[in-house]
Amino acid sequence: MTPTEVAPAAERSTPFAPGEAPRLRLGVADYLTLGNALCGFLAVWALATAQAAHMAGGAAGALPKSAMATAVGLMMVAAALDVLDGRVARKLGGSGMGAELDNLADVISFGFAPAFFFVVWGTIAGGAGVLLGGSVLPVVAGGAVLLAVIVRLARFSCQAPDSNYFTGLPCPFGAMAVVTIVLLDPPVLAGVAAVLLVAWLMVSRMEYPKPRGKKAYVVLGMLATGVAFIAAWGLGLPAGEALIYLMSALVLLTILSLPFYVIATRRSPAPAGQLVEHPVDRHAERPSE
């Protein structure tokens, strides 16, 4: 769901004549991308500040819900901006820096931020009892997430675009999966195993459908709902815990079921008389979707 994938480099930047240098001034879509990166940075800052206060005060147990909710909410806002900037670039045009800015922003918001979130949780939840001494396993799992995001983005930059499917779990979905695991607060070793599975899904060859057209608005609606749920949980509202478990179940169910949906729809025969379009050809004819 990164804009580099939703809108390939050719769409993410303004067309140029042969031999013409790309426009290197920031466009509207680029400012949305920078907002994505800023949200990722602020999520890390909120977590680091909360962890420092937690340790300085000698408090036991997890970080305050308000701090965790702030970080998760910021990552969800980053994901929403990640959807929007590609759509804006296709409608208003983008700069020659658009695709590169997308990748850099995604590494911060969907690689480093969720990895750091997991490490903070794993260090506090596991303490000295974690195998290999305290925080080693959470750091390994967090590092795997960060590296998986980097490899995934680099691999996509080298591939011909497919207008209908992502190869591997999209980075924002991977980040939300890591966040979900933390919010469910499993035993540390189970959490490490689950996060390593998420990292593998991001670099795997499994296919996920792209949120084209109206589906993009469905994704934005889901993100807005998730922000509302996490805010209710962070504020300690009575239904907050139930809403978090509901959101977590929906995220995990979506991530696990979509590859099977793709397999089922690809195997189903096309209706009689209907031509099956090649994904790249269809993409070239309807670049605005």
Side-chain angles (χ1 to χ4, degrees):
M1 200 164 56
T2 64
T4 310
E5 296 165 314
V6 174
E11 293 182 16
R12 192 62 182 84
S13 57
T14 305
F16 303 102
E20 182 182 354
R23 183 168 64 88
L24 299 181
R25 296 174 61 183
L26 295 174
V28 175
D30 299 323
Y31 285 108
L32 295 176
T33 304
L34 293 176
N36 166 9
L38 182 61
C39 285
F41 165 74
L42 291 176
V44 173
W45 170 78
L47 287 169
T49 302
Q51 185 186 33
H54 190 77
M55 296 175 64
L63 291 178
K65 288 183 178 180
S66 58
M68 297 179 69
T70 299
V72 175
L74 285 166
M75 281 187 268
M76 287 184 169
V77 172
L81 293 172
D82 190 49
V83 175
L84 286 171
D85 65 358
R87 298 185 67 82
V88 170
R90 287 194 296 273
K91 290 183 179 298
L92 302 180
S95 73
M97 299 183 291
E100 287 71 22
L101 288 175
D102 282 336
N103 284 346
L104 294 171
D106 290 349
V107 169
I108 297 171
S109 296
F110 311 127
F112 184 72
F116 185 73
F117 188 48
F118 183 78
V119 170
V120 169
W121 168 80
T123 302
I124 294 175
V130 180
L131 186 64
L132 297 180
S135 61
V136 174
L137 290 182
V139 169
V140 169
V145 169
L146 176 61
L147 294 179
V149 169
I150 294 173
V151 170
R152 190 183 190 289
L153 293 172
R155 182 180 68 185
F156 178 82
S157 298
C158 299
Q159 289 178 325
D162 184 326
S163 65
N164 295 323
Y165 301 99
F166 296 118
T167 301
L169 179 66
C171 301
F173 275 120
M176 292 303 106
V178 173
V179 165
T180 296
I181 292 166
V182 172
L183 294 178
L184 291 174
D185 196 23
V188 174
L189 292 180
V192 167
V195 166
L196 289 174
L197 174 61
V198 171
W200 175 80
L201 285 173
M202 284 195 282
V203 296
S204 71
R205 307 301 298 180
M206 300 183 74
E207 293 184 322
Y208 288 80
K210 290 185 177 181
R212 293 281 183 194
K214 294 181 179 180
K215 293 179 182 178
Y217 294 106
V218 173
V219 172
L220 289 172
M222 293 173 61
L223 290 170
T225 302
V227 170
F229 283 6
I230 199 70
W233 177 76
L235 293 172
L237 298 182
E241 293 288 341
L243 292 175
I244 282 298
Y245 283 114
L246 175 61
M247 181 187 76
S248 301
L250 290 175
V251 169
L252 295 178
L253 180 63
T254 300
I255 290 172
L256 294 175
S257 63
L258 280 178
F260 297 100
Y261 166 79
V262 170
I263 293 173
T265 53
R266 281 200 161 185
R267 287 181 176 177
S268 59
Q274 179 177 330
L275 295 177
V276 179
E277 297 177 298
H278 190 279
V280 176
D281 294 338
R282 179 180 173 186
H283 178 70
E285 293 173 4
R286 304 181 64 183
S288 61
E289 291 192 3

